[in-house]
Amino acid sequence: MEHILSLIIIFPALAAFLGMLVDEKSIRTYGICMSLIEFILTIFVWFKFDTSIDLNFIHQFGLISDFGVSYIVGIDGISLFLVILSAFVTMVCLIALSIKENLKHLIISILFLEMAIMGAFLSLDAILFYIFWELTLIPVLYIIGAWGGKDRIYASLKFFIYTFFGSLLMLVGILAMAYFYHKIYGIWSFSLLDWTQMSLPYDVQIWLFLSFFIAFAVKIPIFPFHSWLPYAYTQAPIVGVIMLSSLLLKMGTYGLVRFLLPLFPQVSINFSFAICVFATIMVIYAALIAFSKDDIKEVLTYASASHANIIVLGIFAMNEIGLSGAVFFMVSHGIVGAGMFILVGGLYDRRGSFSMSEFGGLAKTMPKFAFIFALLSLANVGAPLTSGFIGEFLSIFGIFKNSPWIGFFASLSIVLGSIYTLNMFRRLFFGRLIKDENKNLKDASKNELFAVVPICILVVFLGIYPRFVINPIQISVEKSLSFVKYKDERELKLKENNDR
Amino acid sequence: MIDSINLNILNIASIIPMLVLIGFGIFLLGISIFSRGLSRQFYTAFCILAIALDVGFILGFSNQSSGFFGLIFIDGISILSILIISIASIFFLPFSLSKNDFFEYNIPEFFALFLIMLAGYEFMVSSKNLILIFIGLEISSLALYTLIALHNNKSSVQAAIKYFSMGAVSSGFFAFSMALFYMLTNSFEINEIVLNASKSNLQGNILLLTAFIFMVVAVGFKLSLIPFHAWVSEVYSGASSAMAGFISVVPKVGILVIVIRFFEGFVKFDFVWIENFVLILSILTMCVANILALVQNDIKKMLAYSSIFHTGFVLSALAAGSLQVNIGIFYYWIMFAFANLGAFAFLWSRSTNLVMSYDKFSGLVKQNPTLATIGALFMLSLAGIPPFSVFWGKAYLMSSVINAGYFWLAIVMAVNSAVAVYYYLKLVVYMFLKDSMGDGVYFANLSNPMKFILAFASLGSLFAIFMSQNLLQAIKWYVSGVIF
């Protein structure tokens, strides 16, 4: 029982490895079954989750003990739902998978990717986290490069090298942290549990903060580091886009919560305004670009980036409401994004184009599809009764408490969001059915319904009764923020003592 | 007079490993006189046994020994580097047992020269006396040039002659530098040179500077550091993939040991400019080698420049100079050896051509996904992606550099690693993301011994994390026994 987290990490890898034996015909069923089992395992962890303990199910053993590298995995309220999200999204996108050629390699890559993502969310040792962080790049390189669009090789290489560059800076930061830990305590350790005890001098903290922050900022992406985004997302296949937008992006925001806030509280507080400014720029900038696009995949790409920066705002609000809202929004953004991209992929499979001008008046021929699309669009916008509202509202409320101006500009995301989302919906589904090809389009297929209806149910359920999910999140967030405040006070006291 | 000669003073036991290799080499030549037409399987097995015996003897050295009136000096670093050289050579020998047969693998001279070359490397690392280092250097280099030329192809002979002429010039520089050091400090031993130089306060002496620069030229040529790298592209493309793989891993160990001994000796006595000099040279090597590798269209040349990049990486850590760096250098080189052995074995199994362009591997994943994954494993491992082998070496070296206080150097190393990723990924892109050309990819040269080597190298690259703890402890045990 205590090793269930390691099981959750290893299981998709084993499934991927054994999937090499399976033939092309049954590989899709194999993939869906394996991801379903993984999902059940994560739900099982939720049942057995104890909110009174800081970190549940810790599994620890040394890997290179001389050097301090050990294998530590553990789960708390923040990572619990991200793990469940990963299993759910993988399962859902495998159900909705419509690619036919070379399916075996695709499913094996997705399962490996799932393992790496689980590992990144669960690991509590910095080098282990780095290993899984980098391991996610390899399947994504293959998925984008082999099943993508016209410029796929360029897009996948650009994504890989850009992200790799950021993570190498994080590696230098990790090694420097271990060096400082060794200087203060005399032993080598890369474990986060040990590092949170450390107090570093402020100027050192700034550089370490920056080295970690750049790696996470490239992943999310936050304003200056976003130039890989349009290429990677437009050239990737739908399943690749879902994994990128729902899961890998959350790895970036999770890193902000797991590494930056506990390890560098003083710097986080002081830099939070600047970071929030950049995030707000990205929110508005991405939203405006989304409005200008004709290609529905691009609209959703920029929408996803815009909402991801709301998450960043919630995190750097540095209060319980903002942080719990941000974590909840991570989950909601993940499932809503997955659902919308699946539906958009469905439109592409029917007509072979992502352009809005090819469609119009589809609500007549595809009523069920239109209904689900409408529901998810409302969730994307952040309309009340959907989970998107809870996430967006709490995050913006959190940042509003700290800085009303940033809160004002961030709330423009709701306005701009409704503009581009509803505009897209109108052009796709409402209006007259001009094109003849659209008259005979099939309504939502079985696979799409199986994949997206659970998402819709979850979205509405979490919108009405978020307490289910927010409770564990809030408890963990309180613990983590109280620790941040305690550490911040302690460091302020140390600084005052030194100044005197 | 005769009864006062005591052979025990010589401590012949200290050169038994080298004698074993040379003896087996001569023995091989002798056997071939009596039996004609012996097969390459016999020669390879014989050689592997000889090297295994050598490893056995070297493991018997438990503490420092010296012999031949101080000419031979075996300490922890010697034992460790002899172990690395021997074990790596054992794994490069089965390259001769691939499907295609070649002229050089059927003559005994190739294998005898191979063993004598290894003996030369062993002499090089087991001595503090510049003359013996020079002799070892020359023996191994001459044997290596011949081994390259024995491939009996016009390009190979050309490559060997180019290597020979440039190598001769560099050996001349080595000899000149030895003479200058002797003139200044009246000794050929490295520690005595350093001691005398600091005693006579020669820090600013122009002749000492000249001697040092000449030594750098000689060593830099062999290590293919950047201003002295012109031979690399010709020699690697002229040599067969088997020989090129060997050149990229084994000879560098010997030279690195010389550099370690020299450099640390001087740095201990406050010759500050040496540290900056090595730093500039190694950073230049890393950056320029990266750029040169980026523009290559031939995989062998790319791997050649990439091995220069790895050498520069290791050397830049050396500038930081601490015990952890010394451990890190050997650890990195072992991890790198796994990946590079695998990469060249992969090339050799595909084709024995001297020219290996990227599209020889296009679309491999559709033909043979296992081999494609193994090839990708070696490329990703060389790129430094966790959790494969070279990443741990990189992390350890970068950490030791940070611990010595050189934060900016760690950032330079990280940036260069990021740039290097592109040319390793290029082969992965060709294998996985491009369509195959013509009749598809066919691994004509893959035989069971090659499969064994590929398996060994891939297991080593994949599971490096699990053996790192023991490996690091063993290396630490050997390296920290060094007393200058």
Side-chain angles (χ1 to χ4, degrees), chain A residues 343-360:
Chain A
L343 293 175
V344 161
L347 282 177
Y348 179 75
D349 289 331
R350 287 165 173 75
R351 285 298 312 285
S353 160
F354 282 118
S355 163
M356 278 196 250
S357 45
E358 287 289 321
F359 301 101

Side-chain angles (χ1 to χ4, degrees), chain A residues 60-64 68-72 125-128 189-191:
Chain A
Q60 178 171 3
F61 58 85
L63 279 176
I64 308 182
V69 179
S70 39
Y71 172 90
I72 311 181
D125 177 288
I127 291 265
L128 196 69
S189 170
F190 282 92
S191 140

Side-chain angles (χ1 to χ4, degrees), chain B residues 70 91 141 203 209 266 293 396 443:
Chain B
F91 285 102
S141 304
Q203 271 90 335
L209 184 57
F266 272 105
Y396 197 84
F443 271 61

